[in-house]
Amino acid sequence: MCNFCITISAGLGLLLIYFFSTKQKTERQSPRHGGESVADVLRAHGVKFVFTLVGGHISPILVACEKLGIRIVDTRHEATAVFAADAVARLSGTVGVAAVTAGPGLTNTVTAVKNAQMAESPLLLIGGAAATLLQGRGALQDIDQMSLFKPLCKFCASVRTVREIVPTVRKALAIAQSGTPGPVFIEFPIDTLYPYHVVEKEFAPKNTPKGLMGKIIAWYLQNHLSNLFAGAWETCDLSPLSVHIPHATENEVQRCVELVSRAKKPVILLGSQATLPPTPADDVRKALESLGIPCFLGGMSRGMLGKNSPLHIRQNRRDALKEADLVLLAGTVCDFRLSYGKVLNRQSKIIAVNRDRSQLLKNSDMFWKPTVAIQGDAGSFLLRLSKALKGHRCLHYMTERHLNPLSVLHRVDELLAEDSILVADGGDFVGSAAYIMRPRGPIRWLDPGAFGTLGVGGGFALGAKLCRPESEVWIVYGDGSLGYSVAEFDTFTRHKTPVIALVGNDACWSQISREQVPLLGSNVACGLAFTDYHIVADGYGGKGYLIGREDESQLDDIFKKAQKECREGKAILLNVLIGKTSFREGSISV
């Protein structure tokens, strides 16, 4: 017996149960399709954008979303679509959504999804898939997508009937935001998205079946189709499900109050989790100012204290941590960024707060040990700690601020608008920018996070500009990382999302070269060229500037002109030819 017949025989029992027990009706004449159900749920959850690279598997979703007023933003690479959705998630406090076609469309997103996982961004990835009956049979673009995304996502589901769409999407959106936020994935077989009459044409036998097996096959196909659409258009709840967020207990907060009140030299290390909903970033800032404890800001928390806060320590973190008698890790993880915990003084009291237990205790069995470990939300914890310590203010010490005079970055920083959003995409040049450029407020600095992904620039900036169209969005690029998404200047032009790209062009992968050359004696694969990236921007409908040493005295004028043209609707690329500095000698590149 052929494989198809074996499959049919195995499924007959289940179909008989369905045939005799189901009370759900199949509306065969309905013009509705599953894409409309997806769009209904997204709109009910406040989704404003769906980023995509179009494909036939997902067309019904895109068309339905557009009809409901959800903006469809198409990019030139699927990874850019996911990066953009990631940025929307970070800036809006909601779930970012990307939709891509089956097979290679989905495999192209893997790096971006992994980046979102490590950056703890709530993201819904919608993927097309081969028809339910054709999966595993060699259909076009049919691969085991579920196995691919299970290690990367908090939740993965494959929709098998149209009636499953609404509850599955609602569940996925809730899981993306619950606990430690992260990406979720739903695949939609193509036959769950198109109308009944379209799917029927594909399933129905071309000729009248002959013989017993032919009639059984025809019966099986008809019942499979009926089950696929049974109950599809019954009224159901579209509203968001409750989101679960862990919180510190009263006893945990009280113990931390006692530790902080006794500390003479406390320090707070703030991570990205401190910016997560439901606690507004401005409330977290007020809590930090009330506590009066010196802070190091990392990840999405950059800019939390504004431009010139006396509480913000920018340099000499290692020395400060060695001197501190109490360290509060508020959403900060003891990974490579803290030398796996080795920079912490073993004599210090350490309070660690993180939504994810594995991140909370990362490397605690080897290099450090928390005095109090709290699996909970960092932002709300800081508010409760501040409230309990009202009237108590730490006599803080400050380290001196030291910044190298890298004139380009300093000049841009001085001219940044107060509502600017900074997108960081690169190595050496961006590493310098992280020290010099000062985000003007909370959630105004976007970098890839712990995965260290290059190529986020185009997508992050696209999502940021769509979320905050009134803000001036800057991408700080290395000339290496620019290559990943320079083509998105086409997207910026077509979708009228003008941004400014500042490219530090030193014709080199400098962060790697700095270690490779002295250690191994070769610059192989590190050399680039002083490429005319500004011409590329012109070709995609933007405006490019080449800036060399001869333009040094006119830097302010050039940057102001670029800001003006950006406000008028042009995407700008500033191709700045830079030399080498010793500013970041000794920095980590692996």
Side-chain angles (χ1 to χ4, degrees), residues 131-153:
T132 51
L133 277 181
L134 296 179
Q135 291 183 359
R137 301 186 178 283
L140 176 66
Q141 299 178 331
D142 179 30
I143 61 171
D144 183 0
Q145 298 171 164
M146 300 297 287
S147 295
L148 191 63
F149 286 96
K150 280 179 179 177
L152 307 178
C153 296

Side-chain angles (χ1 to χ4, degrees), residues 324-342:
D325 59 355
L326 181 140
V327 178
L328 170 53
L329 303 175
T332 299
V333 182
C334 285
D335 54 17
F336 70 94
R337 292 167 291 184
L338 285 179
S339 298
Y340 310 98
K342 289 184 284 187

Side-chain angles (χ1 to χ4, degrees), residues 109-352:
T109 70
V110 167
T111 296
V113 173
K114 181 63 181 180
N115 191 74
Q117 180 195 42
M118 296 190 69
E120 300 174 355
S121 294
L123 180 83
L124 170 59
L125 176 63
I126 292 171
T132 51
L133 277 181
L134 296 179
Q135 291 183 359
R137 301 186 178 283
L140 176 66
Q141 299 178 331
D142 179 30
I143 61 171
D144 183 0
Q145 298 171 164
M146 300 297 287
S147 295
L148 191 63
F149 286 96
K150 280 179 179 177
L152 307 178
C153 296
K154 296 180 66 182
F155 171 77
C156 291
S158 180
V159 171
R160 311 314 292 174
T161 64
V162 180
R163 63 182 175 275
E164 295 175 25
I165 291 176
V166 170
T168 302
V169 178
R170 290 176 76 210
K171 181 179 180 180
L173 290 168
I175 291 174
Q177 300 171 86
S178 294
T180 304
V184 293
F185 168 62
I186 307 175
E187 73 167 16
F188 292 88
I190 194 169
D191 50 343
T192 66
L193 293 179
Y194 281 84
Y196 184 97
H197 69 276
V198 174
V199 179
E200 185 181 32
K201 286 182 180 178
E202 297 299 320
F203 276 117
K206 304 303 180 186
N207 302 306
T208 303
K210 297 179 180 179
L212 178 60
M213 183 54 67
K215 291 178 180 179
I216 290 175
I217 292 173
W219 179 86
Y220 175 87
L221 292 174
Q222 184 59 54
N223 280 279
H224 178 85
L225 183 60
S226 295
N227 183 49
L228 193 66
F229 283 88
W233 316 125
E234 292 181 3
T235 302
C236 53
D237 188 0
L238 301 173
S239 63
L241 297 170
S242 59
V243 173
H244 172 69
I245 299 173
H247 293 284
T249 66
E250 289 298 329
N251 287 338
E252 287 171 335
V253 173
Q254 184 54 41
R255 188 178 178 195
C256 294
V257 168
E258 294 169 2
L259 290 172
V260 173
S261 64
R262 297 190 186 111
K264 302 298 182 184
K265 291 185 176 182
V267 170
I268 296 176
L269 271 65
L270 218 63
S272 296
Q273 281 193 11
T275 68
L276 291 176
T279 308
D282 281 341
D283 290 352
V284 176
R285 174 183 56 78
K286 291 174 184 175
L288 294 171
E289 290 171 348
S290 176
L291 288 168
I293 299 175
C295 299
F296 289 98
L297 308 178
M300 291 290 293
S301 75
R302 291 179 183 272
M304 178 69 74
L305 292 171
K307 185 177 178 180
N308 294 309
S309 172
L311 295 177
H312 185 189
I313 310 175
R314 298 176 179 274
Q315 293 287 320
N316 298 335
R317 183 176 70 177
R318 183 180 294 268
D319 293 339
L321 292 175
K322 291 299 182 186
E323 294 179 25
D325 59 355
L326 181 140
V327 178
L328 170 53
L329 303 175
T332 299
V333 182
C334 285
D335 54 17
F336 70 94
R337 292 167 291 184
L338 285 179
S339 298
Y340 310 98
K342 289 184 284 187
V343 297
L344 300 175
N345 186 342
R346 289 188 175 271
Q347 305 304 314
S348 302
K349 303 291 184 184
I350 299 174
I351 300 170

Side-chain angles (χ1 to χ4, degrees), residues 479-498:
D479 56 330
S481 60
L482 173 68
Y484 284 80
S485 62
V486 68
E488 301 307 336
F489 266 77
D490 171 71
T491 305
F492 299 148
T493 299
R494 288 185 298 108
H495 286 282
K496 297 179 173 59
T497 50

Side-chain angles (χ1 to χ4, degrees), residues 53 187 356 383 503 574:
L53 198 158
E187 73 167 16
D356 188 316
L383 263 63
V503 184
L574 304 171

